Amino acid sequence: MASAGDPPTGPRDAADQNFDYMFKLLLIGNSSVGKTSFLFRYADDSFTPAFVSTVGIDFKDTAGQERYRTITTAYYRGAMGFLLMYDVANQESFTAVQDWATQIKTYSWDNAQVILVGNKCDLEDERVVPSEDGRRLADDLGFEFFEASAKENINVKQVFERLVDVICEKMNESLEPSSSPGSNGKGPALGDAPPPQPSGCSC
Ligand SMILES: Nc1nc2c(ncn2[C@@H]2O[C@H](COP(=O)(O)OP(=O)(O)OP(=O)(O)O)[C@@H](O)[C@H]2O)c(=O)[nH]1
């Protein structure tokens, strides 16, 4: 058990440490594509083969239903980046990407950045979604694309770092008065952008 004098150990303590910006990022995609595993690999460098479904709402199935709109909106509000994930060994999860993308466009901030991630690329023998199909869909949707594996630790760090990079690039563009389409020259035209939470340093 931690006491007052102990060094920081947990996520809450980590949140108290210095950082440049805090962004809300969401991992979305069908159940069992590996969202939790991906996050654990990044945060803890750990992986467990057991599957315990995260308890929550299936936003893909509830999104069209008016009674869930408030919850869905609240969940997406303020998110500056998304990892939209499918499983390269699961066709249904790939087919669902279009629905998830529509949901992002409906509920999130216009400038939210999205990376399409084909997870479980270690399962080469079970692969049903060719890399080219993933890349083509990402191109069509205007997203960046990575294949990755939470299990084998392939491209996990790279995906998170790329997402943060593109968010920072977008923020910097928005902060340049002349390059912003909605700018009136009087200052940054962040519009309805969710404000990042700076701690004093540049990105
Ligand atoms: N082979 C392989 N298995 C993986 C990989 N990532 C996750 N898995 C396995 O896939 C299963 C589902 O992973 P989860 O991380 O729980 O999936 P999820 O998307 O969070 O699922 P929900 O919580 O239901 O939304 C688990 O058995 C994991 O061990 C991967 O990169 N490769």
Side-chain angles (χ1 to χ4, degrees):
M1 180 182 289
S3 67
D6 288 340
T9 52
R12 182 179 287 276
D13 293 319
D16 293 338
Q17 291 170 11
N18 284 338
F19 51 83
D20 292 340
Y21 287 99
M22 184 160 37
F23 300 130
K24 176 175 173 180
L25 309 179
L26 296 183
L27 285 85
I28 61 172
N30 277 15
S31 178
S32 92
V33 296
K35 300 177 293 295
T36 305
S37 305
F38 206 77
L39 191 56
F40 270 71
R41 171 61 77 191
Y42 182 67
D44 276 1
D45 198 16
S46 65
F47 178 80
T48 165
F51 175 42
V52 181
S53 189
T54 307
V55 177
I57 292 175
D58 186 336
F59 287 102
K60 182 169 66 66
D61 292 339
T62 57
Q65 298 177 35
E66 190 57 40
R67 66 199 164 122
Y68 288 109
R69 188 173 291 274
T70 310
I71 301 172
T72 314
T73 308
Y75 187 72
Y76 278 72
R77 185 178 301 130
M80 296 189 77
F82 291 83
L83 298 183
L84 201 181
M85 190 171 291
Y86 66 92
D87 171 353
V88 301
N90 181 314
Q91 182 63 46
E92 197 185 334
S93 72
F94 183 65
T95 307
V97 164
Q98 187 68 59
D99 288 346
W100 286 110
T102 302
Q103 191 170 146
I104 292 173
K105 291 198 165 110
T106 307
Y107 289 104
S108 76
W109 171 51
D110 282 350
N111 276 330
Q113 301 300 303
V114 187
I115 294 183
L116 181 65
V117 181
N119 190 37
K120 308 197 188 180
C121 71
D122 57 287
L123 297 177
E124 203 45 62
D125 292 348
E126 296 167 44
R127 176 192 282 275
V128 292
V129 184
S131 302
E132 310 82 67
D133 289 9
R135 182 165 300 284
R136 196 175 312 116
L137 180 58
D139 284 348
D140 288 350
L141 293 166
F143 302 159
E144 294 206 14
F145 175 65
F146 282 81
E147 284 196 344
S149 167
K151 182 178 182 192
E152 299 297 336
N153 199 7
I154 300 168
N155 272 344
V156 176
K157 188 162 176 272
Q158 287 83 344
V159 165
F160 277 103
E161 289 184 353
R162 182 61 195 146
L163 183 57
V164 170
D165 278 351
V166 289
I167 291 171
C168 287
E169 282 165 18
K170 202 78 201 176
M171 258 173 49
N172 288 338
E173 274 173 29
S174 306
L175 290 167
E176 284 166 17
S178 56
S179 66
S180 234
S183 169
N184 57 11
K186 290 179 184 164
L190 277 171
D192 58 352
Q197 300 180 25
S199 71
C201 303
S202 64
C203 199

